[in-house]
Amino acid sequence: MDDLRPSPAQIPHHLLSDPRFVHAVQTRDFTTVFAMAREHGISYYRIGETSGMKADRVSKVARGEATVTTLDAIERVADALRIPGALLGLAARPWEHSSPRPHPESDDGDDPMNRRQMLRGALAAGLTTTALTALTESRQPVDLALTADTSPADLSDLETAAEVYGYGYHGQPPTRVLADLASDFVSLRPLLDSPQSVATRIRVCRAAGQMSGMIAIVLHDLGARKEARKWFATASMAARESGDRQLHAWVLAREAMVPINYGAPRAAAHLAEQARQAAGNRPTAAATLAAAVAARAYALSHQPDRAREALTAADMLMERLDASARADTWLTHGEQKHHVHLSHALTALGDTPRAHESQQRALELSAPTSTMTRSLLAIDTAACFHHDGDTEQACQRAVAIMAALPDAYRTGLVHHRALDLYYSIPAQHREESAVRELHDVLAA
Protein backbone atom coordinates (compact mmCIF):
# COMPACT_ATOMS: atom_id res chain seq x y z
CA MET A 1 0.00 0.00 0.00
CA ASP A 2 1.30 3.48 -0.84
CA ASP A 3 2.58 5.66 2.01
CA LEU A 4 -0.01 8.36 2.68
CA ARG A 5 2.06 10.31 5.22
CA PRO A 6 2.55 14.03 4.50
CA SER A 7 5.43 14.94 2.22
CA PRO A 8 8.80 15.19 4.05
CA ALA A 9 9.96 18.27 5.93
CA GLN A 10 13.27 18.23 4.09
CA ILE A 11 16.17 19.88 5.90
CA PRO A 12 18.14 22.55 4.03
CA HIS A 13 20.88 20.87 2.00
CA HIS A 14 23.67 22.91 3.60
CA LEU A 15 22.92 21.37 7.01
CA LEU A 16 24.23 18.05 5.74
CA SER A 17 27.66 19.68 5.47
CA ASP A 18 27.46 21.42 8.84
CA PRO A 19 29.93 19.54 11.12
CA ARG A 20 27.78 20.07 14.21
CA PHE A 21 24.65 18.74 12.52
CA VAL A 22 26.49 15.79 10.96
CA HIS A 23 28.02 14.86 14.32
CA ALA A 24 24.59 15.05 15.97
CA VAL A 25 23.11 12.79 13.30
CA GLN A 26 25.94 10.27 13.48
CA THR A 27 25.66 10.05 17.27
CA ARG A 28 21.86 10.03 17.08
CA ASP A 29 21.70 13.17 19.20
CA PHE A 30 18.16 14.11 18.22
CA THR A 31 18.05 16.92 20.77
CA THR A 32 20.52 18.81 18.57
CA VAL A 33 19.03 17.51 15.30
CA PHE A 34 15.53 18.78 16.10
CA ALA A 35 16.75 22.05 17.60
CA MET A 36 18.90 22.82 14.52
CA ALA A 37 16.06 21.83 12.17
CA ARG A 38 13.82 24.31 13.95
CA GLU A 39 16.50 27.02 13.73
CA HIS A 40 16.41 26.49 9.96
CA GLY A 41 12.67 26.92 9.62
CA ILE A 42 11.21 23.44 10.26
CA SER A 43 8.74 23.66 13.14
CA TYR A 44 8.30 20.94 15.75
CA TYR A 45 4.74 20.54 14.47
CA ARG A 46 6.06 19.85 10.95
CA ILE A 47 8.68 17.35 12.19
CA GLY A 48 6.01 15.56 14.18
CA GLU A 49 3.51 15.56 11.32
CA THR A 50 5.94 13.99 8.86
CA SER A 51 7.53 11.49 11.28
CA GLY A 52 4.39 10.35 13.06
CA MET A 53 5.38 11.89 16.41
CA LYS A 54 3.35 14.29 18.52
CA ALA A 55 4.58 17.89 18.39
CA ASP A 56 4.92 18.06 22.17
CA ARG A 57 7.17 14.98 22.12
CA VAL A 58 9.32 16.54 19.39
CA SER A 59 9.58 19.66 21.57
CA LYS A 60 10.62 17.60 24.59
CA VAL A 61 13.28 15.78 22.54
CA ALA A 62 14.63 19.14 21.37
CA ARG A 63 14.85 20.27 25.00
CA GLY A 64 16.62 17.10 26.10
CA GLU A 65 13.62 15.87 28.11
CA ALA A 66 12.90 12.84 25.90
CA THR A 67 14.82 10.66 23.44
CA VAL A 68 14.37 8.84 20.14
CA THR A 69 15.75 5.33 20.53
CA THR A 70 13.66 2.76 18.67
CA LEU A 71 14.79 1.76 15.18
CA ASP A 72 11.33 2.43 13.76
CA ALA A 73 11.27 5.98 15.14
CA ILE A 74 14.82 6.69 13.92
CA GLU A 75 13.89 5.50 10.41
CA ARG A 76 10.78 7.68 10.42
CA VAL A 77 12.83 10.72 11.41
CA ALA A 78 15.36 9.93 8.67
CA ASP A 79 12.56 9.77 6.10
CA ALA A 80 10.80 12.86 7.46
CA LEU A 81 13.91 15.07 7.33
CA ARG A 82 15.48 13.29 4.34
CA ILE A 83 18.65 12.37 6.26
CA PRO A 84 20.64 9.77 4.31
CA GLY A 85 20.58 6.39 6.02
CA ALA A 86 24.37 6.04 6.09
CA LEU A 87 24.69 9.05 8.41
CA LEU A 88 22.47 7.33 10.95
CA GLY A 89 24.04 3.90 10.56
CA LEU A 90 21.06 2.65 8.55
CA ALA A 91 20.75 1.06 5.14
CA ALA A 92 20.08 3.50 2.29
CA ARG A 93 16.49 4.71 2.51
CA PRO A 94 14.11 3.91 -0.40
CA TRP A 95 13.84 7.55 -1.43
CA GLU A 96 17.64 7.77 -1.88
CA HIS A 97 17.34 5.56 -5.00
CA SER A 98 14.56 7.54 -6.66
CA SER A 99 15.26 10.20 -9.25
CA PRO A 100 14.63 13.84 -8.37
CA ARG A 101 11.00 14.81 -8.81
CA PRO A 102 9.95 18.03 -10.51
CA HIS A 103 8.82 20.48 -7.86
CA PRO A 104 5.56 22.31 -8.51
CA GLU A 105 7.26 25.59 -7.58
CA SER A 106 9.97 25.30 -10.26
CA ASP A 107 10.31 28.01 -12.88
CA ASP A 108 7.32 26.78 -14.86
CA GLY A 109 5.39 25.31 -11.93
CA ASP A 110 3.01 28.24 -11.68
CA ASP A 111 1.96 27.85 -15.32
CA PRO A 112 -1.49 26.19 -15.12
CA MET A 113 -0.94 24.26 -18.38
CA ASN A 114 2.43 22.82 -17.29
CA ARG A 115 1.03 21.94 -13.87
CA ARG A 116 -1.94 20.23 -15.50
CA GLN A 117 0.33 18.20 -17.80
CA MET A 118 2.57 17.19 -14.90
CA LEU A 119 -0.41 15.95 -12.88
CA ARG A 120 -1.86 14.08 -15.84
CA GLY A 121 1.46 12.34 -16.43
CA ALA A 122 1.83 11.39 -12.78
CA LEU A 123 -1.73 10.07 -12.51
CA ALA A 124 -1.63 8.13 -15.80
CA ALA A 125 0.00 5.19 -13.98
CA GLY A 126 -2.66 5.21 -11.25
CA LEU A 127 -2.54 6.24 -7.60
CA THR A 128 1.15 5.54 -7.15
CA THR A 129 3.32 7.17 -4.48
CA THR A 130 4.58 9.65 -7.07
CA ALA A 131 1.03 10.56 -8.08
CA LEU A 132 -0.16 10.94 -4.49
CA THR A 133 2.86 13.09 -3.66
CA ALA A 134 2.12 15.32 -6.66
CA LEU A 135 -1.48 15.66 -5.45
CA THR A 136 -0.25 16.47 -1.93
CA GLU A 137 2.00 19.19 -3.31
CA SER A 138 -0.98 20.65 -5.13
CA ARG A 139 -3.06 20.62 -1.96
CA GLN A 140 -0.53 21.94 0.53
CA PRO A 141 -0.32 25.55 -0.76
CA VAL A 142 -4.10 25.82 -0.47
CA ASP A 143 -3.97 24.24 3.00
CA LEU A 144 -1.45 26.85 4.03
CA ALA A 145 -3.61 29.64 2.65
CA LEU A 146 -6.70 28.30 4.40
CA THR A 147 -4.98 27.79 7.75
CA ALA A 148 -2.73 30.85 7.76
CA ASP A 149 -5.30 32.83 9.73
CA THR A 150 -6.61 29.98 11.87
CA SER A 151 -3.93 27.65 13.19
CA PRO A 152 -0.27 28.48 12.48
CA ALA A 153 1.94 25.45 13.11
CA ASP A 154 4.39 27.57 15.10
CA LEU A 155 1.62 28.47 17.53
CA SER A 156 1.27 24.82 18.54
CA ASP A 157 5.02 24.73 19.18
CA LEU A 158 4.84 27.83 21.35
CA GLU A 159 1.83 26.58 23.30
CA THR A 160 3.76 23.38 23.97
CA ALA A 161 6.80 25.41 25.02
CA ALA A 162 4.67 27.44 27.47
CA GLU A 163 3.41 24.22 29.03
CA VAL A 164 6.96 22.88 29.40
CA TYR A 165 8.23 26.12 30.97
CA GLY A 166 5.40 25.89 33.49
CA TYR A 167 7.19 23.00 35.20
CA GLY A 168 9.70 25.47 36.63
CA TYR A 169 13.46 25.51 36.96
CA HIS A 170 14.20 21.79 37.31
CA GLY A 171 17.58 22.62 38.79
CA GLN A 172 18.53 25.04 35.99
CA PRO A 173 19.84 28.51 36.90
CA PRO A 174 16.98 31.06 36.73
CA THR A 175 18.96 33.15 34.23
CA ARG A 176 19.08 30.27 31.77
CA VAL A 177 15.34 29.66 32.04
CA LEU A 178 14.79 33.40 31.58
CA ALA A 179 16.90 33.46 28.41
CA ASP A 180 15.01 30.52 26.89
CA LEU A 181 11.62 31.94 27.84
CA ALA A 182 12.40 35.37 26.38
CA SER A 183 13.69 33.79 23.16
CA ASP A 184 10.47 31.85 22.63
CA PHE A 185 8.35 34.84 23.67
CA VAL A 186 9.82 36.89 20.82
CA SER A 187 8.55 34.20 18.42
CA LEU A 188 5.00 35.28 19.25
CA ARG A 189 5.52 38.71 17.69
CA PRO A 190 4.89 37.67 14.03
CA LEU A 191 1.71 35.89 15.12
CA LEU A 192 0.47 38.99 16.92
CA ASP A 193 1.32 41.20 13.93
CA SER A 194 -0.47 39.11 11.29
CA PRO A 195 -4.24 38.95 10.76
CA GLN A 196 -5.78 36.02 12.63
CA SER A 197 -9.17 34.52 13.21
CA VAL A 198 -10.77 35.31 16.57
CA ALA A 199 -10.06 31.79 17.85
CA THR A 200 -6.38 31.97 16.90
CA ARG A 201 -5.98 35.48 18.31
CA ILE A 202 -7.28 34.14 21.63
CA ARG A 203 -4.72 31.31 21.56
CA VAL A 204 -1.86 33.67 20.71
CA CYS A 205 -2.82 36.11 23.47
CA ARG A 206 -3.19 33.27 25.98
CA ALA A 207 0.30 31.98 25.14
CA ALA A 208 1.66 35.54 25.37
CA GLY A 209 0.02 35.98 28.77
CA GLN A 210 1.43 32.71 30.09
CA MET A 211 4.96 33.30 28.80
CA SER A 212 5.23 36.93 29.89
CA GLY A 213 3.79 35.97 33.28
CA MET A 214 6.45 33.29 33.71
CA ILE A 215 9.19 35.71 32.63
CA ALA A 216 7.91 38.05 35.35
CA ILE A 217 8.05 35.19 37.88
CA VAL A 218 11.72 34.52 37.11
CA LEU A 219 12.56 38.24 37.25
CA HIS A 220 10.79 38.44 40.61
CA ASP A 221 12.77 35.46 41.88
CA LEU A 222 15.99 37.17 40.75
CA GLY A 223 15.08 40.35 42.61
CA ALA A 224 14.37 42.52 39.55
CA ARG A 225 11.14 44.00 40.92
CA LYS A 226 10.66 46.85 38.44
CA GLU A 227 11.24 44.62 35.44
CA ALA A 228 8.95 41.96 36.91
CA ARG A 229 6.12 44.50 37.23
CA LYS A 230 6.59 45.56 33.58
CA TRP A 231 6.31 41.96 32.41
CA PHE A 232 3.28 41.37 34.64
CA ALA A 233 1.67 44.41 32.97
CA THR A 234 2.28 42.81 29.57
CA ALA A 235 0.90 39.52 30.84
CA SER A 236 -2.18 41.28 32.17
CA MET A 237 -2.85 43.00 28.82
CA ALA A 238 -2.49 39.71 26.96
CA ALA A 239 -4.72 37.86 29.43
CA ARG A 240 -7.44 40.50 29.16
CA GLU A 241 -7.34 40.39 25.36
CA SER A 242 -7.57 36.59 25.41
CA GLY A 243 -10.78 36.85 27.42
CA ASP A 244 -9.47 34.19 29.80
CA ARG A 245 -10.54 35.43 33.24
CA GLN A 246 -8.73 32.62 35.04
CA LEU A 247 -5.46 33.52 33.31
CA HIS A 248 -5.98 37.18 34.23
CA ALA A 249 -6.64 36.18 37.85
CA TRP A 250 -3.47 34.05 37.84
CA VAL A 251 -1.41 36.99 36.54
CA LEU A 252 -2.80 39.33 39.22
CA ALA A 253 -2.19 36.79 42.00
CA ARG A 254 1.36 36.16 40.86
CA GLU A 255 1.98 39.91 40.56
CA ALA A 256 0.76 40.33 44.15
CA MET A 257 3.69 38.20 45.25
CA VAL A 258 6.13 40.97 44.22
CA PRO A 259 4.96 43.45 46.90
CA ILE A 260 4.45 40.57 49.35
CA ASN A 261 8.08 39.55 49.09
CA TYR A 262 9.53 43.03 48.88
CA GLY A 263 7.90 44.88 51.74
CA ALA A 264 4.53 46.24 50.56
CA PRO A 265 1.91 43.80 51.90
CA ARG A 266 -1.02 46.25 51.72
CA ALA A 267 -0.42 46.76 47.99
CA ALA A 268 -0.20 42.98 47.68
CA ALA A 269 -3.54 42.53 49.43
CA HIS A 270 -5.17 44.93 46.97
CA LEU A 271 -3.84 42.97 43.97
CA ALA A 272 -4.79 39.65 45.56
CA GLU A 273 -8.38 40.82 46.08
CA GLN A 274 -8.52 41.89 42.43
CA ALA A 275 -7.38 38.39 41.53
CA ARG A 276 -10.03 36.81 43.75
CA GLN A 277 -12.72 38.92 42.11
CA ALA A 278 -11.51 38.01 38.60
CA ALA A 279 -11.34 34.29 39.43
CA GLY A 280 -14.81 34.08 40.98
CA ASN A 281 -16.01 31.46 43.42
CA ARG A 282 -15.43 28.32 41.36
CA PRO A 283 -12.66 25.98 42.59
CA THR A 284 -9.95 26.87 40.09
CA ALA A 285 -6.19 27.02 40.41
CA ALA A 286 -6.25 30.81 40.06
CA ALA A 287 -8.96 31.27 42.71
CA THR A 288 -7.06 29.06 45.17
CA LEU A 289 -3.77 30.83 44.51
CA ALA A 290 -5.42 34.24 44.92
CA ALA A 291 -6.90 33.30 48.30
CA ALA A 292 -3.58 31.86 49.52
CA VAL A 293 -1.67 34.96 48.41
CA ALA A 294 -4.28 37.20 50.08
CA ALA A 295 -3.74 35.28 53.33
CA ARG A 296 0.00 35.98 53.16
CA ALA A 297 -0.58 39.67 52.42
CA TYR A 298 -3.02 40.15 55.31
CA ALA A 299 -0.79 38.24 57.73
CA LEU A 300 2.20 40.43 56.83
CA SER A 301 0.12 43.63 57.16
CA HIS A 302 -1.05 42.64 60.66
CA GLN A 303 -4.66 41.89 59.75
CA PRO A 304 -4.96 38.43 61.34
CA ASP A 305 -8.73 38.07 61.03
CA ARG A 306 -8.69 38.74 57.30
CA ALA A 307 -5.65 36.48 56.94
CA ARG A 308 -7.44 33.58 58.63
CA GLU A 309 -10.55 34.14 56.52
CA ALA A 310 -8.44 33.94 53.36
CA LEU A 311 -6.64 30.83 54.66
CA THR A 312 -9.98 29.11 55.26
CA ALA A 313 -11.16 30.05 51.76
CA ALA A 314 -7.89 28.79 50.22
CA ASP A 315 -8.17 25.45 52.04
CA MET A 316 -11.79 24.99 50.99
CA LEU A 317 -11.00 25.74 47.35
CA MET A 318 -7.96 23.43 47.47
CA GLU A 319 -10.13 20.53 48.66
CA ARG A 320 -12.39 20.97 45.60
CA LEU A 321 -9.68 21.34 42.93
CA ASP A 322 -9.69 18.68 40.23
CA ALA A 323 -6.60 16.65 39.40
CA SER A 324 -5.50 18.76 36.42
CA ALA A 325 -5.55 21.96 38.49
CA ARG A 326 -3.41 20.26 41.18
CA ALA A 327 -0.46 19.60 38.85
CA ASP A 328 2.85 20.91 40.13
CA THR A 329 3.47 23.76 37.68
CA TRP A 330 3.68 27.53 37.77
CA LEU A 331 0.33 27.73 35.97
CA THR A 332 -1.60 25.45 38.35
CA HIS A 333 -1.88 25.05 42.12
CA GLY A 334 -0.58 21.76 43.49
CA GLU A 335 -0.49 20.67 47.11
CA GLN A 336 3.21 21.49 47.39
CA LYS A 337 2.64 25.08 46.24
CA HIS A 338 -0.36 25.39 48.56
CA HIS A 339 1.72 24.46 51.61
CA VAL A 340 4.50 26.85 50.56
CA HIS A 341 1.97 29.71 50.73
CA LEU A 342 0.49 28.42 53.98
CA SER A 343 3.97 28.17 55.49
CA HIS A 344 4.64 31.85 54.90
CA ALA A 345 1.18 33.01 56.04
CA LEU A 346 1.19 30.89 59.21
CA THR A 347 4.78 31.91 60.02
CA ALA A 348 3.79 35.58 59.72
CA LEU A 349 0.76 34.94 61.94
CA GLY A 350 2.97 33.30 64.57
CA ASP A 351 1.04 30.03 64.31
CA THR A 352 4.26 28.03 64.44
CA PRO A 353 2.80 24.52 65.03
CA ARG A 354 0.69 24.71 61.86
CA ALA A 355 3.51 26.50 60.02
CA HIS A 356 5.90 23.63 60.82
CA GLU A 357 3.29 21.14 59.51
CA SER A 358 3.01 22.99 56.20
CA GLN A 359 6.78 23.33 55.94
CA GLN A 360 7.27 19.61 56.46
CA ARG A 361 4.57 18.68 53.95
CA ALA A 362 5.88 21.11 51.34
CA LEU A 363 9.42 19.73 51.72
CA GLU A 364 8.12 16.17 51.31
CA LEU A 365 6.49 17.20 48.03
CA SER A 366 9.40 19.32 46.72
CA ALA A 367 11.93 17.82 44.35
CA PRO A 368 15.57 17.89 45.50
CA THR A 369 16.28 20.25 42.59
CA SER A 370 13.74 22.83 43.86
CA THR A 371 16.52 24.93 45.34
CA MET A 372 14.64 28.19 45.77
CA THR A 373 11.46 26.68 47.21
CA ARG A 374 13.33 24.51 49.69
CA SER A 375 15.46 27.48 50.79
CA LEU A 376 12.42 29.70 51.36
CA LEU A 377 10.76 26.97 53.43
CA ALA A 378 13.92 26.60 55.50
CA ILE A 379 13.96 30.34 56.19
CA ASP A 380 10.30 30.16 57.27
CA THR A 381 11.35 27.41 59.69
CA ALA A 382 14.14 29.62 61.00
CA ALA A 383 11.65 32.47 61.47
CA CYS A 384 9.44 30.13 63.50
CA PHE A 385 12.38 29.37 65.81
CA HIS A 386 12.89 33.11 66.29
CA HIS A 387 9.18 33.62 67.04
CA ASP A 388 9.31 30.85 69.65
CA GLY A 389 12.29 32.48 71.39
CA ASP A 390 15.30 30.64 69.96
CA THR A 391 16.87 33.47 67.95
CA GLU A 392 20.33 31.89 68.01
CA GLN A 393 19.02 28.71 66.36
CA ALA A 394 17.10 30.82 63.84
CA CYS A 395 20.22 32.74 62.80
CA GLN A 396 22.38 29.63 62.59
CA ARG A 397 19.84 27.97 60.30
CA ALA A 398 19.59 31.04 58.07
CA VAL A 399 23.39 31.30 57.79
CA ALA A 400 23.61 27.61 56.82
CA ILE A 401 20.93 28.09 54.17
CA MET A 402 22.68 31.08 52.59
CA ALA A 403 26.08 29.37 52.68
CA ALA A 404 24.74 26.29 50.88
CA LEU A 405 23.03 28.22 48.08
CA PRO A 406 24.51 28.19 44.56
CA ASP A 407 25.66 31.64 43.43
CA ALA A 408 22.68 32.02 41.09
CA TYR A 409 20.28 31.92 44.05
CA ARG A 410 22.12 34.10 46.60
CA THR A 411 20.49 37.34 45.53
CA GLY A 412 16.87 38.18 44.97
CA LEU A 413 14.00 36.51 46.78
CA VAL A 414 15.89 34.15 49.10
CA HIS A 415 18.24 36.94 50.19
CA HIS A 416 15.33 39.28 50.84
CA ARG A 417 13.43 36.68 52.88
CA ALA A 418 16.53 36.17 55.06
CA LEU A 419 16.79 39.97 55.46
CA ASP A 420 13.19 40.00 56.73
CA LEU A 421 14.24 37.54 59.42
CA TYR A 422 17.22 39.70 60.39
CA TYR A 423 15.13 42.90 60.63
CA SER A 424 12.55 41.13 62.80
CA ILE A 425 15.20 40.67 65.50
CA PRO A 426 15.05 43.50 68.09
CA ALA A 427 17.97 45.93 67.92
CA GLN A 428 19.20 45.06 71.41
CA HIS A 429 20.02 41.52 70.24
CA ARG A 430 21.91 42.43 67.06
CA GLU A 431 25.30 42.40 68.78
CA GLU A 432 24.93 38.74 69.70
CA SER A 433 27.39 36.56 67.78
CA ALA A 434 24.82 34.49 65.84
CA VAL A 435 22.92 37.61 64.78
CA ARG A 436 26.15 39.37 63.73
CA GLU A 437 27.11 36.34 61.68
CA LEU A 438 23.77 36.44 59.85
CA HIS A 439 24.27 40.16 59.22
CA ASP A 440 27.75 39.58 57.78
CA VAL A 441 26.55 36.78 55.49
CA LEU A 442 23.71 38.93 54.14
CA ALA A 443 26.01 41.94 53.68
CA ALA A 444 28.66 39.94 51.77
Side-chain angles (χ1 to χ4, degrees), residues 229-250:
R229 284 196 293 268
K230 291 175 185 177
W231 280 92
F232 275 126
T234 299
S236 188
M237 283 191 293
R240 281 198 300 269
E241 186 169 342
S242 77
D244 188 333
R245 290 179 62 85
Q246 294 303 315
L247 176 59
H248 190 211
W250 174 81

Side-chain angles (χ1 to χ4, degrees), residues 188-196 201 204:
L188 287 165
R189 173 66 186 272
L191 301 178
L192 288 166
D193 284 344
S194 61
Q196 306 286 357
R201 183 74 178 182
V204 173

Side-chain angles (χ1 to χ4, degrees), residues 117-128 130-132 134:
Q117 292 298 329
M118 185 192 73
L119 283 168
R120 284 178 176 174
L123 288 166
L127 291 177
T128 61
T130 301
L132 289 170

Side-chain angles (χ1 to χ4, degrees), residues 16 56 58 69 84 114 162 211 247 274 296 310 335 337 375 424:
L16 291 176
D56 62 345
V58 175
T69 55
N114 288 332
M211 282 196 181
L247 176 59
Q274 285 184 299
R296 293 172 63 184
E335 185 185 356
K337 183 181 282 117
S375 299
S424 71

